[in-house]
Amino acid sequence: MSEHGQGHIINYSTLVTVWLALLVLTATTVAVSRLDLGALNIWAALGIACCKMSLVVAFFMHMKYENRLFQWFLFIALVTLTIFIGLTFFDVLYR
Amino acid sequence: MKPADMLNTQQGVDSAFMFIFWVSLLFLAGITVAMIYFVIRYHHSREPRPTSDKDNNLLLEITWTVIPTILVGAMFWYGWAGYLALRNVPEGAMEVAATARMWSWNFAYPNGKTSPKLIVPAGKPVKVSLTSLDVLHSFYVPAFRIKRDAVPGMDNYVWFNAERTGSYDIFCAEYCGVGHADMLSTVEALPDHEFEEWYQGKTATSQQDRAKELLGKYGCLGCHSLDGSKMVGPSLQGVWQREVVVLTEGAERKITSDEAYLRRSILQPGAEIVKGYPPVMPSFEGQISEDELHELMEYFQSQAEPKSGQLPGAALAASQGCLGCHSEDGTPRVGPSFKGLYGSRQVVLKNGQKLTLTADREFLTRAIREPASEVAEGFQPLMPPYPALTNEQLEQLLDYLESLR
Amino acid sequence: WSVLSFFMVGVLLGLLIRLELIAPGFNMMSPQMYNSLFTLHGVVMIFLFIIPGIPAAFGNLVMPIQIGAEDVAFPRLNLLSWYLYITGAALAVFSLFTGGGPPDTGWTFYVPFSARTTTNVSLAVFGVFVLGFSGILTGLNFLTTIHRMRAKGMTWTRMPLFTWSLYATAWVQVLATPILAITLVLIMAERILSAGMFDPAQGGDPVMYQHLFWIYSHPAVYIMILPGMGVVSDIIPVFARKPVFGYKAIAISSVAIAAAGSLVWAHHMFVSGMSDLAVLIFSALTFLVAIPSAIKVFNWVTTLHRGSITLDPPLSFALCFIFLFSIGGLGGLFLGAAATDVHVTDTHFVVGHFHYVMFGGTGFAFFAAMHYWLPKYFGRMYNKNIANLSCVIMFIGFNLVYLSMQIVGYEGMPRRYYDYLPQFATLNLISTVGSWILATGLIVMFVNLFRGLRHGEPVGRNPWGGASLEWMVATPPPLENFDGEVEVTHGPYDFKKAGVL
Amino acid sequence: MSEAGHHKDYEGAKLGMWLFLFTELLLFGGLFILYGVYLNRYPEAFKAGGDKLNVFFGGGNTVVLLTSSLSVAVGISALQKGNKKLCLGMLWVTIGSALLFLVNKFFEWSAKISHGIYPGSAHLKEMIPGESVFFGLYYITTGLHGIHVLLGAGILTWVATLVRSDKVHQGDFVTLENAGLYWHLVDLVWIFIFPLYYLIL
Ligand code: HEA
Ligand code: HEA
Ligand code: CUA
Ligand SMILES: [Cu+2]
């Protein structure tokens, strides 16, 4: 264990690359929303948002370099949220 | 049992209940007995040192995971089957629409008839669709094990089959404010023909007809008139709660003819004789049944009720839910009582200021149209406005209030 | 600050007294007052007493020592959480005297009623919001502490079961409480901005409110009970003088309850108009939670087998816990089965159920914990015989109160009724009389406890012969708990190795 | 743990922060549940509502937030490398972005409100059912998010002063890192708000 708690330092260039990628994705999501894909629109929007989220979490928030425990925790939190949403829909969709 | 075969709503619920109950009782007893036995048997005075330090046994753990799992599985299944029976309405059920509001029920029938009580034919399935005009309520009839929320903006339903005639309590089971506990009604399950009579005709007449039939059947009308004229006995007009002077073994007493008295004078007519009449009436004890007596009493009572009972405004007050908060007999409930309201002096709060005014037509109109603008002192500003009320209906309500002054 | 946290619970209890006792008196107050009363009773009991109760009071005191840490991970955060708690409590109390009068919605704050009533709901809701925040902080503090601050040799399987239960609880607090927070924010938005989120006239759906509310509030009931189960798991082996039976099973079942407990919220909504498929799923999931609870009960009872049992007050309370919790939990099975729930939901059967689990369960566990750990922290012992006597009185009173409630509920008496039909009178009378007995027992217990802690016999390090770490430090524990590094070499119930057998 | 573990437990501090972020995530999660349910119920009304929101405000704010996220991240790397000046500069950029975001939001909201679209307004009640739900949710979600932006800006300002006075430095930067984490979360939430509210057409 290093002195600064795995103080992995991320290069500026990596950060900027990620930022660019995020901007590109933003443009994409706006563009996609102009197409008429029916119900797919919302899923496309969510999919892209999830990509953006992963980028931010992995690089800006250093999750990629944290230890396993953190990743597990994140996973638990996300699964919980998914379950809350999912189970609610069993009511709403089938009413 | 397949849900489709269910003839009523109780069976499924009760069998599930019994199953869970016995399993639970068994486990509870087992655990309790084991606990007590261990505490006594292994008390330190008997066993100064522990005789084992075994701290796990996989087989045991598995056993007591698997057995409860199976049991709860069965419980779940029973519960679900019973629930399905509650949801699958048999074909051909009569449909009644129940509307809940703070704090009363109103039931509307396919032919447009409405009633504050749920009057149904016994032995036939009835489907009650539920809506609410304001907040959540819940339609609960313990006798049929049914309950479902009435949610504004949502259509819910229950069904039941009252296999025997009788009167069953309806409760509001979802908390809905001050009047929650008073939001009661009943299911009145009538024999088929009576229901038809009620359903086709007017409530009052059918009851009246039945009573007259009885009075005829037992020959009462031979001696008692219904129009106030004296015959052999006193007239039955206005007999309910009337002040009379009676002779009890020769001594004069002044009494009010309440239900107890009226019953006595039918069953033991000799005990008290109204002054001025001969003691000739025969006893009807053993002839007239309790049901019939009850019917007569209700008839007398209904005859005695003030005229307002027949005014169209009275029906409105019931169907619009006014009576959920305002009484007709002077007791203050959520709102002031209607009795004596018309024309009385009232202290009201308007924009935080106290005003004293007379409850005339004008004031009462405002009180119904914009209830929040002036609120009678000591009451909460809870009353909803009634935009859907027509002017004509309003007039009817005012007439009705006037009749109660 | 730990002493403070105890103090607050004390103050709180004092505050509750009036509230509870009045509840069964039916004829002496107006309906509006009755409605405010059970609302406050519910809010205070749930949010002020039973949720923070064991974790905040005993968790903070005992848990760090049990894992060999000098304090929790974020002591300052803990202090903040305590201030928030006081603020929240103050707000809730404040809401009684200001605005349109005390809230009258029930502790569930169901819309549309809560959005319409003229009473002071907003402030009370805000108070609860603040309390929720306080709970979140406690939760994340515990998680971090348990992950990061275990002493050398304190492996996961050497953690006392009380700590395990707090660990599971903390997860629930962290992941479920935010949903409560947002729900409460929405009520305020509804009232203040008339946002119409749940207003059918504007296209909202009142049933969605219930989903959001119970997504938190069901897991919350496991926030209440898990620490109680932890206490009992710690106490039983000590007084049976043998290692707890099925350590792993109990630890895992704590986590399992926390996990499965998050999936069952809609069992409170079987008659709400929810879809039938949802009823099917949530009913099935509900039964899943019963299994780990059953496992725990069986393991506790088996721990007694072939031990050498001393019936000291902590054990008496713990055994009462098992019995009462079992009744409550088995009653929960009736509620979990769809058909039977339709009949008994929103009746006094439910009221009986949750008093059995909350009061008979968590409440008795709390009393057990007081009798178990407080001598350690005050250095003095209460009178054991009187404590046992009070336990018996309470046990009798308790069953009178709540068993009759369950029966009257089964007969069809709805809850939140200030007045009832004559057929329910007898059982209600029994219940009320029972509550007096119960109160007597409580008073005896508290008086004895307080007297003992001030004037009782001094006790040493380890009055009960426990093997977990809190019994190894001085009595009362010093500020930093341990002097120097700790190394743990044996399990929490290994009485032989701990040299206390 | 090391002797000084009590105050310098980086992992612990970060763990606590992450747990806190989860609670924030679920807080907004509650709103997203509602969003999902109502979108499902009133797809048309939500489209109509989305149409009335201005993509340029929304898109602009997205870029602002993404950029601010970059600047904190760079700021952290800078401090880790010992470049205090760059770090401070980056922090100011971030805080500036936050303010820019809020100003934008202010104009957007006031435009809406002047059109009579605000919770409880008479205009909303006349629209097709569901649209008022859409705007209700929109105001609550963006409002709550706005509060978080404000809080985040406050925290960053506080940390910036700590960096200035060398209380937070190359050897002890958890506070900065945690503040950064918080800020990223604010950004994350917006990443979802943007397509869900502004882009359903
Ligand atoms: C401490 C709090 C606590 C706990 C632990 C529980 C535990 C359980 N609860 Fe309870 N519950 C509440 C607090 C709690 N509850 C509250 C406060 C309400 C009402 C809220 C309100 O509306 O105001 C409520 C309401 C409530 C309802 C909704 C009722 C309604 O309103 O319609 C339901 C329905 O499923 C339910 C079910 C259960 C179940 C299945 C368990 C299970 O976890 C129980 C598991 C335990 C056992 C099963 C007993 C022990 C095991 C044995 C003795 C072995 C034998 C067992 C088997 C063979 C299975 N509860
Ligand atoms: C922890 C939770 C808890 C506890 C312990 C209790 C304890 C009690 N509760 Fe409560 N109750 C709830 C939680 C709790 N309740 C909740 C959540 C509701 C639902 C509210 C709603 O519907 O919204 C409810 C509702 C509720 C109702 C139903 C109201 C209705 O639906 O109409 C009733 C009715 O009898 C009742 C009675 C009681 C009684 C008699 C006690 C008694 O057991 C209390 C006995 C205790 C005392 C009498 C205190 C005496 C103590 C001392 C004297 C100690 C001295 C202290 C010091 C010196 C510090 N409660
Ligand atoms: Cu209507 Cu309760
Ligand atoms: Cu529950």
Side-chain angles (χ1 to χ4, degrees), chain B residues 22-38, chain C residues 297-298 301 323 326 330:
Chain B
W22 288 112
V23 173
S24 297
L25 199 66
L26 190 76
F27 272 93
L28 186 67
I31 287 164
T32 314
V33 169
M35 240 163 31
I36 294 174
Y37 174 73
F38 290 162
Chain C
V297 170
F298 296 136
V301 174
F323 181 76
S326 293
L330 293 166

mmCIF file of all heavy atoms in Angstrom, chain B residues 22-38, chain C residues 297-298 301 323 326 330:
data_model
loop_
_atom_site.group_PDB
_atom_site.id
_atom_site.type_symbol
_atom_site.label_atom_id
_atom_site.label_comp_id
_atom_site.label_asym_id
_atom_site.label_seq_id
_atom_site.Cartn_x
_atom_site.Cartn_y
_atom_site.Cartn_z
ATOM 1 N N TRP B 22 -52.326 -22.680 11.968
ATOM 2 C CA TRP B 22 -51.902 -23.915 12.619
ATOM 3 C C TRP B 22 -50.403 -24.136 12.494
ATOM 4 O O TRP B 22 -49.742 -24.538 13.465
ATOM 5 C CB TRP B 22 -52.689 -25.117 12.088
ATOM 6 C CG TRP B 22 -54.103 -25.080 12.588
ATOM 7 C CD1 TRP B 22 -55.223 -24.872 11.852
ATOM 8 C CD2 TRP B 22 -54.543 -25.195 13.957
ATOM 9 N NE1 TRP B 22 -56.337 -24.846 12.660
ATOM 10 C CE2 TRP B 22 -55.952 -25.042 13.953
ATOM 11 C CE3 TRP B 22 -53.889 -25.389 15.181
ATOM 12 C CZ2 TRP B 22 -56.720 -25.097 15.107
ATOM 13 C CZ3 TRP B 22 -54.656 -25.439 16.341
ATOM 14 C CH2 TRP B 22 -56.045 -25.299 16.296
ATOM 15 N N VAL B 23 -49.857 -23.831 11.339
ATOM 16 C CA VAL B 23 -48.401 -23.962 11.207
ATOM 17 C C VAL B 23 -47.707 -23.053 12.214
ATOM 18 O O VAL B 23 -46.777 -23.455 12.922
ATOM 19 C CB VAL B 23 -47.943 -23.617 9.771
ATOM 20 C CG1 VAL B 23 -46.431 -23.602 9.694
ATOM 21 C CG2 VAL B 23 -48.510 -24.606 8.783
ATOM 22 N N SER B 24 -48.185 -21.803 12.289
ATOM 23 C CA SER B 24 -47.550 -20.848 13.194
ATOM 24 C C SER B 24 -47.641 -21.311 14.630
ATOM 25 O O SER B 24 -46.666 -21.254 15.385
ATOM 26 C CB SER B 24 -48.224 -19.485 13.085
ATOM 27 O OG SER B 24 -48.068 -18.981 11.799
ATOM 28 N N LEU B 25 -48.828 -21.774 14.991
ATOM 29 C CA LEU B 25 -49.034 -22.189 16.370
ATOM 30 C C LEU B 25 -48.088 -23.329 16.716
ATOM 31 O O LEU B 25 -47.473 -23.358 17.785
ATOM 32 C CB LEU B 25 -50.479 -22.621 16.568
ATOM 33 C CG LEU B 25 -50.908 -22.642 18.023
ATOM 34 C CD1 LEU B 25 -50.899 -21.223 18.574
ATOM 35 C CD2 LEU B 25 -52.291 -23.242 18.161
ATOM 36 N N LEU B 26 -47.947 -24.254 15.781
ATOM 37 C CA LEU B 26 -47.069 -25.393 15.988
ATOM 38 C C LEU B 26 -45.642 -24.925 16.260
ATOM 39 O O LEU B 26 -45.011 -25.329 17.240
ATOM 40 C CB LEU B 26 -47.114 -26.262 14.733
ATOM 41 C CG LEU B 26 -46.454 -27.604 14.866
ATOM 42 C CD1 LEU B 26 -47.357 -28.522 15.657
ATOM 43 C CD2 LEU B 26 -46.176 -28.181 13.484
ATOM 44 N N PHE B 27 -45.153 -24.036 15.406
ATOM 45 C CA PHE B 27 -43.782 -23.567 15.578
ATOM 46 C C PHE B 27 -43.628 -22.786 16.862
ATOM 47 O O PHE B 27 -42.655 -22.945 17.596
ATOM 48 C CB PHE B 27 -43.361 -22.712 14.388
ATOM 49 C CG PHE B 27 -42.785 -23.525 13.275
ATOM 50 C CD1 PHE B 27 -43.579 -23.979 12.243
ATOM 51 C CD2 PHE B 27 -41.436 -23.848 13.278
ATOM 52 C CE1 PHE B 27 -43.049 -24.739 11.220
ATOM 53 C CE2 PHE B 27 -40.893 -24.609 12.258
ATOM 54 C CZ PHE B 27 -41.699 -25.056 11.228
ATOM 55 N N LEU B 28 -44.616 -21.937 17.134
ATOM 56 C CA LEU B 28 -44.519 -21.121 18.340
ATOM 57 C C LEU B 28 -44.459 -22.019 19.564
ATOM 58 O O LEU B 28 -43.614 -21.845 20.453
ATOM 59 C CB LEU B 28 -45.719 -20.179 18.424
ATOM 60 C CG LEU B 28 -45.644 -19.195 19.574
ATOM 61 C CD1 LEU B 28 -44.515 -18.219 19.347
ATOM 62 C CD2 LEU B 28 -46.959 -18.451 19.733
ATOM 63 N N ALA B 29 -45.345 -23.007 19.593
ATOM 64 C CA ALA B 29 -45.365 -23.903 20.740
ATOM 65 C C ALA B 29 -44.032 -24.634 20.843
ATOM 66 O O ALA B 29 -43.439 -24.718 21.928
ATOM 67 C CB ALA B 29 -46.506 -24.901 20.589
ATOM 68 N N GLY B 30 -43.542 -25.126 19.720
ATOM 69 C CA GLY B 30 -42.279 -25.853 19.724
ATOM 70 C C GLY B 30 -41.149 -25.013 20.295
ATOM 71 O O GLY B 30 -40.412 -25.426 21.199
ATOM 72 N N ILE B 31 -41.046 -23.803 19.791
ATOM 73 C CA ILE B 31 -39.957 -22.932 20.220
ATOM 74 C C ILE B 31 -40.067 -22.616 21.704
ATOM 75 O O ILE B 31 -39.094 -22.652 22.454
ATOM 76 C CB ILE B 31 -39.981 -21.636 19.390
ATOM 77 C CG1 ILE B 31 -39.501 -21.935 17.982
ATOM 78 C CG2 ILE B 31 -39.130 -20.559 20.023
ATOM 79 C CD1 ILE B 31 -39.839 -20.853 16.995
ATOM 80 N N THR B 32 -41.300 -22.328 22.126
ATOM 81 C CA THR B 32 -41.493 -21.945 23.523
ATOM 82 C C THR B 32 -41.164 -23.104 24.446
ATOM 83 O O THR B 32 -40.436 -22.947 25.435
ATOM 84 C CB THR B 32 -42.945 -21.512 23.746
ATOM 85 O OG1 THR B 32 -43.312 -20.643 22.683
ATOM 86 C CG2 THR B 32 -43.100 -20.817 25.049
ATOM 87 N N VAL B 33 -41.683 -24.252 24.122
ATOM 88 C CA VAL B 33 -41.432 -25.410 24.970
ATOM 89 C C VAL B 33 -39.932 -25.694 25.028
ATOM 90 O O VAL B 33 -39.361 -25.898 26.101
ATOM 91 C CB VAL B 33 -42.205 -26.638 24.445
ATOM 92 C CG1 VAL B 33 -41.731 -27.889 25.154
ATOM 93 C CG2 VAL B 33 -43.688 -26.430 24.616
ATOM 94 N N ALA B 34 -39.279 -25.663 23.867
ATOM 95 C CA ALA B 34 -37.845 -25.933 23.850
ATOM 96 C C ALA B 34 -37.103 -24.941 24.725
ATOM 97 O O ALA B 34 -36.249 -25.310 25.531
ATOM 98 C CB ALA B 34 -37.324 -25.861 22.414
ATOM 99 N N MET B 35 -37.480 -23.675 24.607
ATOM 100 C CA MET B 35 -36.795 -22.640 25.371
ATOM 101 C C MET B 35 -36.933 -22.901 26.867
ATOM 102 O O MET B 35 -35.953 -22.901 27.617
ATOM 103 C CB MET B 35 -37.395 -21.282 25.019
ATOM 104 C CG MET B 35 -36.402 -20.329 24.444
ATOM 105 S SD MET B 35 -37.112 -18.908 23.570
ATOM 106 C CE MET B 35 -38.624 -18.528 24.323
ATOM 107 N N ILE B 36 -38.170 -23.134 27.282
ATOM 108 C CA ILE B 36 -38.410 -23.315 28.715
ATOM 109 C C ILE B 36 -37.698 -24.572 29.217
ATOM 110 O O ILE B 36 -37.033 -24.558 30.261
ATOM 111 C CB ILE B 36 -39.920 -23.390 28.995
ATOM 112 C CG1 ILE B 36 -40.554 -22.039 28.667
ATOM 113 C CG2 ILE B 36 -40.186 -23.765 30.446
ATOM 114 C CD1 ILE B 36 -42.050 -22.015 28.753
ATOM 115 N N TYR B 37 -37.813 -25.626 28.435
ATOM 116 C CA TYR B 37 -37.180 -26.869 28.840
ATOM 117 C C TYR B 37 -35.673 -26.691 28.989
ATOM 118 O O TYR B 37 -35.080 -27.081 30.003
ATOM 119 C CB TYR B 37 -37.488 -27.959 27.814
ATOM 120 C CG TYR B 37 -36.743 -29.242 28.079
ATOM 121 C CD1 TYR B 37 -37.115 -30.072 29.135
ATOM 122 C CD2 TYR B 37 -35.670 -29.605 27.279
ATOM 123 C CE1 TYR B 37 -36.430 -31.239 29.388
ATOM 124 C CE2 TYR B 37 -34.966 -30.773 27.522
ATOM 125 C CZ TYR B 37 -35.356 -31.597 28.573
ATOM 126 O OH TYR B 37 -34.671 -32.747 28.821
ATOM 127 N N PHE B 38 -35.057 -26.062 28.014
ATOM 128 C CA PHE B 38 -33.601 -25.883 28.078
ATOM 129 C C PHE B 38 -33.201 -25.054 29.289
ATOM 130 O O PHE B 38 -32.231 -25.364 29.981
ATOM 131 C CB PHE B 38 -33.072 -25.188 26.810
ATOM 132 C CG PHE B 38 -33.134 -26.054 25.584
ATOM 133 C CD1 PHE B 38 -33.049 -25.491 24.320
ATOM 134 C CD2 PHE B 38 -33.263 -27.433 25.691
ATOM 135 C CE1 PHE B 38 -33.107 -26.278 23.184
ATOM 136 C CE2 PHE B 38 -33.316 -28.235 24.562
ATOM 137 C CZ PHE B 38 -33.249 -27.655 23.310
ATOM 138 N N VAL C 297 -33.947 -17.696 14.777
ATOM 139 C CA VAL C 297 -34.664 -18.171 15.956
ATOM 140 C C VAL C 297 -34.204 -19.583 16.316
ATOM 141 O O VAL C 297 -33.898 -19.878 17.471
ATOM 142 C CB VAL C 297 -36.183 -18.141 15.718
ATOM 143 C CG1 VAL C 297 -36.918 -18.847 16.830
ATOM 144 C CG2 VAL C 297 -36.666 -16.710 15.593
ATOM 145 N N PHE C 298 -34.117 -20.451 15.327
ATOM 146 C CA PHE C 298 -33.715 -21.834 15.612
ATOM 147 C C PHE C 298 -32.309 -21.877 16.196
ATOM 148 O O PHE C 298 -32.026 -22.624 17.135
ATOM 149 C CB PHE C 298 -33.792 -22.674 14.342
ATOM 150 C CG PHE C 298 -35.193 -22.798 13.807
ATOM 151 C CD1 PHE C 298 -35.448 -22.667 12.454
ATOM 152 C CD2 PHE C 298 -36.264 -23.028 14.653
ATOM 153 C CE1 PHE C 298 -36.738 -22.769 11.959
ATOM 154 C CE2 PHE C 298 -37.561 -23.131 14.172
ATOM 155 C CZ PHE C 298 -37.796 -22.992 12.816
ATOM 156 N N VAL C 301 -32.277 -20.761 19.893
ATOM 157 C CA VAL C 301 -32.804 -21.757 20.819
ATOM 158 C C VAL C 301 -31.802 -22.894 20.982
ATOM 159 O O VAL C 301 -31.563 -23.375 22.092
ATOM 160 C CB VAL C 301 -34.173 -22.279 20.332
ATOM 161 C CG1 VAL C 301 -34.646 -23.413 21.224
ATOM 162 C CG2 VAL C 301 -35.185 -21.160 20.327
ATOM 163 N N PHE C 323 -39.720 -14.966 22.115
ATOM 164 C CA PHE C 323 -41.134 -15.344 22.101
ATOM 165 C C PHE C 323 -41.987 -14.269 21.408
ATOM 166 O O PHE C 323 -42.765 -14.559 20.507
ATOM 167 C CB PHE C 323 -41.613 -15.566 23.533
ATOM 168 C CG PHE C 323 -43.050 -15.974 23.623
ATOM 169 C CD1 PHE C 323 -43.436 -17.271 23.316
ATOM 170 C CD2 PHE C 323 -44.028 -15.066 23.992
ATOM 171 C CE1 PHE C 323 -44.770 -17.643 23.387
ATOM 172 C CE2 PHE C 323 -45.360 -15.431 24.063
ATOM 173 C CZ PHE C 323 -45.725 -16.726 23.758
ATOM 174 N N SER C 326 -41.333 -13.859 17.775
ATOM 175 C CA SER C 326 -41.906 -14.959 16.999
ATOM 176 C C SER C 326 -43.390 -14.738 16.765
ATOM 177 O O SER C 326 -43.876 -14.928 15.653
ATOM 178 C CB SER C 326 -41.701 -16.292 17.714
ATOM 179 O OG SER C 326 -40.335 -16.595 17.750
ATOM 180 N N LEU C 330 -44.615 -14.316 13.094
ATOM 181 C CA LEU C 330 -45.584 -15.264 12.542
ATOM 182 C C LEU C 330 -46.852 -14.531 12.138
ATOM 183 O O LEU C 330 -47.474 -14.855 11.130
ATOM 184 C CB LEU C 330 -45.880 -16.366 13.561
ATOM 185 C CG LEU C 330 -44.668 -17.279 13.847
ATOM 186 C CD1 LEU C 330 -44.897 -18.124 15.090
ATOM 187 C CD2 LEU C 330 -44.364 -18.173 12.661
#
